[in-house]
Each structure stands twice: as C-alpha cells, then as structure tokens.
Amino acid sequence: MTTVHEIHEEATGDVPIRRITITVNGERRVVECEPRLLLAHLLRQGLRLTGTHLGCDTTNCGACTVLVDGRAVKSCTMLAVQADGHEVTTVEGLATASELHPLQEGYREEHGLQCGFCTPGMMLSAKALLDENPDPSEEDVRWALSGNLCRCTGYQNIVKSVLWAAAKLRSE
Amino acid sequence: MSQALDENKIGGLGVSRKRVEDNRFIRGRGNYTDDIVLPGMLHMEILRSPLAHARIKSIDTSRAWEIPGVRLVLTGEMAATRNLAWMPTLSYDTQAVLATDKVRFQGQEVACVVADDPYIAKDACEAIDVEYEPLPVIVNPEQAVAEGAPLIRDDKAGQADNVVYRWEVGDQAGTDAAFEHAAVVSKLRLHYPRSHPSPIECCGSVADFDRATGKLTVYMTTQAPHIIRAAVAMVAELPEHLIRIISPDIGGGFGNKVPVYPGYVCSILCSILLERPVKWIEDKTGNLISTGFARDMYLDGELALRADGKILGVRMHAEADHGAFFADAQPSKFKIGLLHSTFACYNVPAAHLTARGTYTNKAPGGVAYRCSFRVTEAMFFQERMVHQAAKDLGLDPAEFRRRNFVRADAFPYRTPFGFLVDSGQPEACLDVGLKAVGYEDFLRQKEEARRRGRRLGIGISTMTEPLGAGNSREYDILGIKMFDSAELRVHMTGKALLRVGAKSQGQGHETTWAQIVSHELGIPADDVTVEEGDTDTAPFGMGTYASRSTPVAGAAISMVSRKIRAKARKLAAHLLEVSEEDLEWELGRFSVRGVPEHGVTIQECAMAAYGNMPDGMEPGLENHAYYDPPNLTWPFAVYIVTVEVDPETGVWDVLNTVAVDDCGVRINPMIVEGQIMGGLTEAYAMANMQFITFDAEGNCVGSNYMDYLLPTAWETPGFELHSEVVTPSPHHPIGAKGVGECAAVGGPAAFVNAVMDALDDTGVRNIDMPLLPDRVWEALTQHHDVSGAPPVRTDD
C-alpha cells in the first residue's frame, strides 16, 4: 500500500494545522489540514476525488454521501479531522480497473440517472443498504435513499437500479 | 438482395439506447464547473444583503482586506468605475451586479471577496461592515400597486410606479358578448405560488482572463452559452472572438441556469482585475434566495358556459410578481411568455387575457421553470377552470373535456390567440388514460367509500405545450432571433463528430443526437461523438430550455445529416459510375436502381470524399445547418391521478398516477420515459409541498432544504406511463415534438383536481398549492376555500 504525504493548503496566519491519516478507497493518505476543513472539501480539493459532489452544504441533498467505515455519511457535515484513522469509500472506489460495481451497472441499465450530479451519493447510500440487506424490498430501497435528493429522474428508475444491483449481487 | 441496416442494431430512431454519458457519471468522472481547477486559481465569495429593502449608508471593507490570503474586495462603487455596477437583463431591464444605492431583495449581492481559499473568502465576507437604513418592504403585487407604495426601482428614469408591464391579448368585445349569452359563468381565483427550480448543483463559474492574448475564458453553469457570450460581449465590451464560454457537465438546470447572474459577472470582473482565474461556486442558500424563481402569479378567471357544457368564452387577469428586477429570458414578442397558450386544445370561440407584472422586494423571478415561458401557469389555469366548470354544470369532467376538445380532424387549428396548433389527438389520449385508470370503476369506488366515511378523488389534467422556441418570426432574446444549429463532420473512415448549439443539463443529448444521425445516415450511433457547450467549437445556438432541443436542434441535426447524404450521393454516383438519379438510398448505403447488390456504403462514400472525389468536387464530408422552425410543435398529454384524503388530518395519498404522453415520434423511448417521470415528480412536488414564501419583512422562508421541501424517494409515488398515441409533428423532419416539460406543466392540476374531487360535497371550490395537510384539513372542517396567499386584484 502506497503512502503519500500531501499538503492540502498553506497555513495562513495563526490557523492551527492538524496532520491526519485516512484510508481512502483502500489507499492510505496522510494529509495536513485546518481542523475546520470539511471531509467533502478534503476529498474534492485536497485529494482531487471530484466524484463526491456538494449540493446543499446542510446535510439535506445527499450528493456528498460517502462511506466511512462502511456507513453512509454526508461528507459536507463531517470534519476531515473526524475521519482521522478511518476508512473512506468514495464513488471512485466502487469500480475496479476492469469492472463496474453492480450498482453502477444497475444505474446504467435501468436509466437511474439523468444529470448525474446526485448519482455518486445515491449509489453510496444504496451500497450501505445492500451491504446490510442484500434482498431489500422496494420500500426498503425508497427509505434507504430518502436522504438523497434527485431533481431529474422521479426516483422510480433509481429504485429499479438498486433492485437490479441487489439481484446481480445475490446471483454472484 | 437488400443489405440495409437495421436501426435497432445501429442505435437509430426509436431505440432505447443506453446513455453514453452515464459511463462517466457513474464513475464519478463527470466534469462539472466546481470540478474545474486552473493553475493559479483564486476563489470568490459573495456578501449578500440580510434585508429585503434598505438604503446602503456605508460599506467598510478595511477589516476584510487585512485577512491574510485576501486578494480583492470588490464593491459596487468599484465595479462602477468599470461600468459594471449594473447589467442589462435578458428582458431589457437592468439589474444591479453589486448594489450601490439600495438593496432591493434579501440575498442581493452587495460585495464580493477573492481569496486564496474559499474558507478565507467566506471569513472575509463576514468581516465586511455594511450599514443599512431599512425601507418599507413590498412582498406581493397588491402592496406593489397600492397608493403610496414605496418606489422600488427609483434607479430607472421615468419609472413612476412598481408596474413592470401591462399586457392584453384576445378579443375583449367578443368575449364580453360570449359572457352575455352564457347560461353559467364559472369563476376561480388561483394562486400559483412562487417556486424555485432548484437543481441540486448550484450556479458557478470559473473566469480566466489572459492579459497576454486578451482572451476571456469562462467555464460556467449555463443552459445557453452562446447567449451568455453575447451578453458578456455587450456588458464587458469585449468582442465575441475574444470570449469563450464553456458549459461543462451541468447538474440540472430546469430554467434556473438561463439568466445571467451577478456572480458570473463578478467572477469575470475579478479575473480581469487580478489577471488570474477566479472560481465562484454558489452555496445552496445563495442559490435559493437569489437565483431565478418561477411562477408567483395570481390568476383570476371566468368561463362562459352553455348549459350543455360548451365553453363560449374565457377571461383571465394575471398578476405576476417579478421581484426587484425583471430578469428572466424573455422571448420579446410575448410580454408574459406563452400564458396565452391557455385553452389551445379546446375549441373556444372567444377569449381575452390581461396581465400586469409588478416589482416587489423579492429576488428576480419569472424564469420558465421546466416550462416553455409561462405555459405551466396557463395549463394550470386551464385545467383547474375546466374541472370547476364541469362540477358547476353537474357534468362529468372527462365528458366535459370531450365535448370541448378540438377534434383530431380539425388540426391544424388556429386558437383565439392566434397560435396554429399543428396536430393532436386529444380524445384518443383521454380514452387511453381513462381506460388505464379504470375510470368508471373508480367513480363507483369513490361513491362506495364516501358512504363509509372515506374520501377518494380523481383528477384529470390535459395539456398541450407550444414547444420549440422559436421560429424567428416571433421569438428573440435581446434581439437575437431564435433558431438552432448543428455541424457534422464525417471522417474518412465514416466515424463522425457532431457539434450542436443546444446544451444538455442531463437530458441525454450525447445519446439521442447520435441516434438522429444514425437514422438519417446509417452510421452506427456508437461511431458518432457529440459535443456541445463550448462557444469556440459549437455552432451558434440558443441553448437548451423550454423543451426546445429536440424540436429545434434535433431538427437541425436531421437537416445537416441530409446535406451530408446529398453530397454522399454524388460521391456514390462517382464510385458506381452511374448518374445520381439512378441511385437508391437505403439506411447506410446507396445502390444502383434495380441492381441492389451493386452499391456503396456511407463509409465508402466518406473515404471517397477524402481520396477519390470526382473532378471539381470540394474535398471532405462536413456541413452545418441552422434550423428555423416553421412553427412550434404541440405535444399533447393526459395525466390522471387518484387520491385518498384523510378527513381527520388532511393528509392525502396518491393511489395511482397515469400519464399518456403524445409527443410525436420518440427518438429514445427510455430517455423520453425518464423525462416524463422526472416531470411528474416535479408536478407532485408543486401540488404537495414545494413552495417558497416570504414574511412581511421580505425574509425568504425556504432558504435551505430543511425549509424548502422537495420530495424524496420515500414520498414520491410510482407512475404508470402510456405511449400508445403517436401524432408526428407534420413539420419536424422526423416528427418529434419535445417532451421534457410536459408532465411538470400539465401534472400539477391533476393532483389538485384529484384532491378537490375528494372534497366535492363540501362546497370548497379551491385550495391553493401546495395542498399542505393543514390547508386541506381547514377546508374540510371549515368548508371554505383556502388560499396560501389571498389572490389580489386591485384595479388601477
């Protein structure tokens, strides 16, 4: 496992800087940042993982959802320093080099996205559900995704996408 | 022996081809404006007014300048030295970029800061001290036109009151006469509440001015990059060839990303001043309180009716609240957009509409939120009126509609307001919908349930939407005529690059546009790359809004493909050594008439265009087309909703939603259905929860997603879609009509009519949207109409 050392930003004035260690998509990253830096900003600007999107900054839209130690977390309301020592999975960690995750396939197969902005967060919320409940009902899926807003699709196809992925994962 | 290709195999017309763009979106590799990083890039933040109406006494920026990492603190006064404190809007009004004299709505831009880091820029905004002197606040049209009302736009020479426009259309005398002969006059006062389109991605821009070349490049969240380029050229006094607008991936638009916002202008100005790239990304509160609102219209209507249900005349007055600046994109021949498309699918002999727009202390409003310039309000008015008229006459609402529809054999049909509706089969759509929902059976269930104390209701809404703005006779924005464009380059091996003047915000253009080329030329859709949104490479186009992409840009793609085919025919004649007249075209191939095995493929023609063209022929196989549609296209739809209302709580649940959309030929049925489901969700949201209101001080109630309620997967009902009825547009090259907004336009009335139907024995005629449980409960228990904000009509 590669260890990288990255300086997120230069210190300005008397702002304190913390050094933290996060495992992101299986890779250990050591980062220096202000304690007030949000996890979402660390991922996007610091680590250039721009698949995590920011829609609302208030924990409502869910576009910034990532997994922290396997649990779905809205990274716009978690400080980067709170992730110190934890494992983070972003959308970039779903596919392997050669293969898409069944959720990614499901979203494509069932037309579960339009503008694609909410999609990474949706898929990670769905992954947290499927990791816990491999055979969810439509109602389970709707409830699990109720923290993620989408303005394009009408949700029907998103639900179908998740159920498609669940079936594929069960058959694997 | 034909060797014709199968459209299904090459991804042609009517194929539910999987979306090309999904490949990057599902991997998190989209490229949205906030993902752009340029060397040396700085970050901009905007300071907004906390008050809705106030005089600015002083702005002290000294504390902000002292913060390490701050590069620029810009005020309106400084912008004025560059002639940029004010900008023209897309409606021939003016809007403050940064307020100099007064603030006129809560959230208005007062100053901006550029710093090394967005956190520092936010800190610095908080360190700016602004002294305000509060002024009386106006939050609705009634207050705006009241005697002694404070003048909001005292910056405009000659503006003596708060009226933006007065407008009228139709035949007043004829309509008055119709009302004199009416057996019954049915009246309703409706409020279509203020709403925000609220794409999940906020607005933003990255401006990069290069002093060495004089070139300004701006990445931005815009639905209409070429229009923005024109606006920037006019405002910043830079020539177009030194301006490049790039609209990368966009996280939803819905009309919200059409206007020019002060943030865009500030980032450009700051980049010019600092000679470094400047990124501005709005936060959600800034987005909700300051960018393109929609609706906010009071509709006061009357129908003149014969006892047998025939509509004799329609009257309506609209009071439109435009906020502090009239800033929406406005097709200039239609002061209030296409409001007068109302009753276009009904045979109405006489109609007369008046409208008045007012300035208030709210954010600039009036954008066409997922609709074609005010058609949403027009169709909501139409379908609520029709429902109530049927009830007032004691007629079945479905039967009432049937008696008044324009018959399928009467198209093209000229409406009382002068529109020529090209085609349609209203009754056929209604039949499909009624059968799908089990109409008669549901009416029996409703009666049975009523006897047991349960309240069921069924609501129908039909709509037709004038799509495909423009034709250049009638449509322009800032004097620029409305048409659209496509440029197609077929490379020598038959692979192709298509560039289009439209700009997707999630509609799937990269997928469907290639399908049109595939249909016209037989080139596999996978061999066609689609590019949009870069003004340096795309042909001049008017952008994507008002469901105009397929009707206008889609037509341009057909036309440019046909030009390519015409040249390929000459090449084929040369290759086959016959005359052009002796050739037959089948998908992807020319063959000699009567000798089908003797032919050449489109790919062989492409190769010949670069290597074996006839003497005198210009090499290459590329062309462009600018398409100016002869008319609008008119999709038609029927939406039917069944609900159960809980009389104890006022909560209503959707039992079933049936949608029958006749949008002509469907290029990609999967994508069309996705658009309809999205539109139905927005319709459900409008009827149920989604509205923004203001308190008496002009504070925006709904400045974040905790207060501005949008439906989630949990609330949103399922939808049943029908596509049995297909009426191709008679003038569109492939018979398509546009569809993305239809359900959002026609849907809300279906939900409201269903709840009103469940209350049809209470004497309640109207509950204004959104039908919140407390409003429904109040109507049920008090037996009176419930309005969120009382409709206003103050005659002046």
Side-chain angles (χ1 to χ4, degrees):
Chain A
M1 200 168 283
T2 340
T3 301
V4 283
H5 182 259
E6 289 158 3
I7 304 297
H8 169 250
E9 63 195 26
E10 285 174 31
T12 50
D14 54 359
V15 179
I17 294 293
R18 285 271 304 275
R19 174 173 296 194
I20 58 173
T21 305
I22 308 179
T23 303
V24 182
N25 300 329
E27 198 174 338
R28 191 160 167 269
R29 317 292 290 258
V30 180
V31 177
E32 291 188 343
C33 64
E34 286 184 47
R36 65 174 176 172
L37 184 74
L38 296 172
L39 177 58
H41 290 144
L42 170 69
L43 295 170
R44 286 182 52 77
Q45 275 113 49
L47 304 179
R48 293 301 299 142
L49 295 168
T50 54
T52 300
H53 298 145
L54 279 161
C56 74
D57 321 287
T58 50
T59 327
N60 296 97
C61 81
C64 67
T65 305
V66 298
L67 302 183
V68 177
D69 298 336
R71 295 178 63 191
V73 164
K74 292 177 178 176
S75 61
C76 78
T77 19
M78 180 170 175
L79 297 168
V81 292
Q82 291 176 293
D84 191 9
H86 294 275
E87 285 197 25
V88 175
T89 305
T90 70
V91 65
E92 290 89 347
L94 278 183
T96 62
S98 58
E99 253 182 272
L100 290 175
H101 187 278
L103 273 163
Q104 293 170 309
E105 287 182 82
Y107 272 73
R108 189 182 59 194
E109 288 301 312
E110 297 290 347
H111 187 30
L113 63 151
Q114 288 177 20
C115 81
F117 197 78
C118 73
T119 308
M122 282 275 182
M123 290 195 299
L124 288 159
S125 288
K127 182 167 191 314
L129 167 74
L130 297 185
D131 287 347
E132 204 170 273
N133 177 4
D135 192 9
S137 65
E138 180 183 331
E139 202 173 45
D140 294 334
V141 175
R142 285 186 179 269
W143 185 246
L145 296 182
S146 63
N148 294 73
L149 291 172
C150 168
R151 295 289 283 161
C152 299
T153 65
Y155 300 109
Q156 197 156 319
N157 284 349
I158 293 178
V159 174
K160 282 164 74 178
S161 305
V162 176
L163 293 172
W164 188 100
K168 169 114 196 255
L169 281 163
R170 285 197 306 275
S171 71
E172 278 178 357
Chain B
M1 180 187 64
S2 170
Q3 297 172 29
L5 294 167
D6 180 348
E7 291 212 38
N8 284 311
K9 289 193 182 131
I10 61 168
L13 201 63
V15 177
S16 287
R17 180 179 182 231
K18 298 284 183 261
R19 296 202 333 163
V20 176
E21 40 278 88
D22 289 359
N23 196 36
R24 61 179 185 276
F25 293 152
I26 56 177
R27 294 168 192 266
R29 289 183 187 162
N31 188 33
Y32 302 90
T33 300
D34 194 21
D35 300 339
I36 307 286
V37 175
L38 300 178
M41 187 176 77
L42 300 168
H43 299 266
M44 190 187 96
E45 186 70 27
I46 292 174
L47 176 71
R48 300 181 180 279
S49 167
L51 300 174
H53 201 194
R55 195 166 304 287
I56 296 175
K57 292 176 76 177
S58 65
I59 303 178
D60 181 356
T61 60
S62 54
R63 285 200 303 132
W65 277 107
E66 285 166 14
I67 294 175
V70 168
R71 304 290 176 139
L72 180 64
V73 185
L74 188 73
T75 61
E77 212 171 283
M78 292 163 68
T81 65
R82 294 279 176 148
N83 217 11
L84 273 179
W86 291 81
M87 64 181 184
T89 72
L90 300 180
S91 312
Y92 294 96
D93 196 359
T94 48
Q95 176 172 355
V97 174
L98 293 172
T100 48
D101 51 345
K102 294 203 304 191
V103 288
R104 294 175 170 85
F105 66 91
Q106 187 186 51
Q108 189 179 341
E109 298 79 1
V110 175
C112 69
V113 174
V114 181
D116 291 351
D117 174 277
Y119 285 57
I120 298 170
K122 272 190 204 293
D123 288 344
C125 275
E126 286 183 12
I128 299 172
D129 298 305
V130 186
E131 198 181 347
Y132 296 101
E133 178 191 329
L135 295 169
V137 173
I138 291 171
V139 293
N140 65 41
E142 182 185 25
Q143 293 175 343
V145 297
E147 206 166 314
L151 185 62
I152 296 171
R153 296 301 303 280
D154 52 357
D155 58 292
K156 288 180 77 175
Q159 181 78 34
D161 57 20
N162 291 319
V163 174
V164 186
Y165 55 76
R166 286 186 180 80
W167 180 80
E168 119 171 61
V169 66
D171 173 8
Q172 185 173 10
T175 306
D176 289 348
F179 274 81
E180 277 166 27
H181 295 104
V184 173
V185 173
S186 196
K187 300 186 185 191
L188 275 182
R189 295 186 148 191
L190 305 164
H191 181 216
Y192 207 126
R194 182 169 267 234
S195 183
H196 191 280
S198 195
I200 300 295
E201 182 203 38
C202 298
C203 294
S205 51
V206 183
D208 182 14
F209 180 68
D210 184 339
R211 174 70 65 199
T213 60
K215 182 130 185 176
L216 172 70
T217 303
V218 191
Y219 300 82
M220 62 194 291
T221 51
T222 179
Q223 299 176 223
H226 282 98
I227 299 302
I228 295 289
R229 187 181 68 178
V232 171
M234 291 172 198
V235 173
E237 294 178 356
L238 288 169
E240 283 101 323
H241 71 287
L242 291 178
I243 303 170
R244 180 181 193 183
I245 305 293
I246 300 173
S247 186
D249 287 328
I250 297 185
F254 316 116
N256 185 242
K257 290 169 180 165
V258 175
V260 182
Y261 294 122
Y264 298 147
V265 179
C266 286
S267 69
I268 291 169
L269 179 55
C270 290
S271 179
I272 291 172
L273 292 173
L274 292 166
E275 298 182 23
R276 282 178 66 176
V278 173
K279 177 189 275 190
W280 164 65
I281 298 293
E282 192 177 54
D283 64 17
K284 187 56 76 185
T285 296
N287 181 254
L288 284 171
I289 67 177
S290 75
T291 66
F293 291 85
R295 328 293 188 231
D296 213 346
M297 198 182 276
Y298 299 85
L299 304 163
D300 202 340
E302 298 176 86
L303 287 193
L305 302 160
R306 219 161 58 192
D308 65 358
K310 173 83 186 93
I311 301 171
L312 299 174
V314 179
R315 252 189 212 142
M316 192 242 275
H317 176 72
E319 287 284 349
D321 182 340
H322 283 283
F325 307 102
F326 185 30
D328 44 315
Q330 187 67 4
S332 63
K333 304 290 187 294
F334 313 102
K335 281 272 173 55
I336 195 159
L338 301 179
L339 192 71
H340 54 308
S341 64
T342 192
F343 282 88
C345 61
Y346 292 101
N347 194 343
V348 176
H352 182 238
L353 308 186
T354 55
R356 180 169 60 187
T358 53
Y359 289 119
T360 61
N361 292 119
K362 293 165 158 179
V367 303
Y369 165 23
R370 205 163 183 161
C371 92
S372 184
F373 304 106
R374 299 283 186 177
V375 179
T376 307
E377 291 92 324
M379 292 303 136
F380 182 74
F381 167 76
Q382 167 189 303
E383 290 303 305
R384 287 290 295 120
M385 292 302 298
V386 165
H387 177 88
Q388 192 56 47
K391 294 283 179 184
D392 287 347
L393 289 168
L395 288 173
D396 176 88
E399 176 58 25
F400 178 81
R401 286 178 172 85
R402 206 184 288 284
R403 288 184 195 178
N404 286 288
F405 274 148
V406 177
R407 291 165 49 92
D409 58 9
F411 292 100
Y413 169 78
R414 181 78 62 183
T415 78
F417 298 121
F419 290 113
L420 190 68
V421 184
D422 63 7
S423 59
Q425 302 180 67
E427 271 199 86
C429 290
L430 184 63
D431 289 342
V432 170
L434 294 176
K435 184 169 175 232
V437 81
Y439 190 66
E440 299 298 332
D441 192 44
F442 187 85
L443 293 181
R444 280 191 293 275
Q445 286 178 43
K446 176 186 157 185
E447 292 310 313
E448 173 66 21
R450 191 69 63 84
R451 283 194 288 276
R452 295 159 184 252
R454 289 175 60 215
R455 288 190 170 275
L456 302 183
I458 186 161
I460 303 171
S461 176
T462 68
M463 69 112 236
T464 186
E465 188 179 8
L467 293 183
N471 52 69
S472 65
R473 286 189 312 283
E474 293 170 309
Y475 287 82
D476 69 77
I477 288 179
L478 293 179
I480 305 164
K481 300 278 190 184
M482 297 184 78
F483 45 79
D484 232 300
S485 59
E487 180 191 293
L488 183 60
R489 294 183 189 173
V490 183
H491 309 307
M492 62 181 72
T493 60
K495 310 290 188 280
L497 171 64
L498 175 70
R499 287 172 165 153
V500 185
K503 173 60 198 147
S504 174
Q505 307 107 47
Q507 292 93 336
H509 288 180
E510 288 165 58
T511 307
T512 46
W513 291 166
Q515 290 182 250
I516 297 176
V517 174
S518 187
H519 169 69
E520 296 287 356
L521 293 178
I523 293 175
D526 286 344
D527 289 348
V528 183
T529 293
V530 175
E531 287 183 2
E532 293 181 338
D534 182 340
T535 57
D536 265 13
T537 56
F540 189 97
M542 297 299 281
T544 290
Y545 43 87
S547 282
R548 63 188 302 280
S549 289
T550 291
V552 195
I557 296 163
S558 275
M559 300 318 279
V560 74
S561 300
R562 291 175 190 183
K563 286 182 181 180
I564 296 284
R565 195 166 76 205
K567 184 167 182 183
R569 176 182 286 272
K570 292 185 194 303
L571 289 157
H574 170 67
L575 292 173
L576 295 167
E577 297 177 336
V578 295
S579 72
E580 281 186 64
E581 293 71 35
D582 291 332
L583 290 176
E584 281 186 338
W585 168 253
E586 53 192 339
L587 194 62
R589 188 170 178 272
F590 291 98
S591 61
V592 178
R593 197 180 302 279
V595 197
E597 63 277 12
H598 192 39
V600 289
T601 64
I602 188 80
Q603 289 83 359
E604 287 166 326
C605 295
M607 185 61 84
Y610 297 88
N612 184 18
M613 55 285 200
D615 287 345
M617 179 186 274
E618 192 179 356
L621 192 56
E622 56 189 66
N623 218 319
H624 64 266
Y626 281 84
Y627 185 79
D628 184 2
N631 191 6
L632 299 156
T633 62
W634 296 82
F636 183 83
V638 172
Y639 305 109
I640 307 180
V641 172
T642 56
V643 297
E644 174 157 13
V645 179
D646 182 346
E648 302 293 323
T649 62
V651 170
W652 51 280
D653 290 315
V654 176
L655 305 174
N656 197 1
T657 304
V658 169
V660 186
D661 280 88
D662 176 6
C663 54
V665 172
R666 297 180 178 208
I667 300 164
N668 183 318
M670 175 190 80
I671 286 177
V672 168
E673 287 181 6
Q675 294 280 309
I676 294 168
M677 286 191 269
L680 285 170
T681 306
E682 300 216 13
Y684 168 73
M686 286 304 306
N688 199 27
M689 59 176 75
Q690 181 188 313
F691 76 126
I692 285 190
T693 188
F694 292 78
D695 69 12
E697 280 77 48
N699 294 307
C700 175
V701 181
S703 59
N704 59 64
Y705 282 159
M706 279 172 275
D707 300 317
Y708 187 53
L709 299 181
L710 305 176
T712 74
W714 183 247
E715 296 86 24
T716 306
F719 310 116
E720 180 184 323
L721 308 184
H722 288 263
S723 56
E724 291 92 325
V725 186
V726 179
T727 316
S729 165
H731 55 80
H732 188 280
I734 54 173
K737 287 189 172 181
V739 69
E741 299 159 338
C742 292
V745 167
F751 290 97
V752 175
N753 285 344
V755 174
M756 298 313 302
D757 184 58
L759 273 56
D760 64 359
D761 60 341
T762 62
V764 179
R765 297 166 63 86
N766 185 48
I767 303 173
D768 274 332
M769 292 193 295
L771 273 57
L772 301 168
D774 62 313
R775 292 188 186 179
V776 177
W777 183 82
E778 186 185 339
L780 263 165
T781 52
Q782 312 289 317
H783 295 267
H784 63 62
D785 287 8
V786 176
S787 296
V792 176
R793 181 161 187 181
T794 311
D795 292 313
D796 56 331

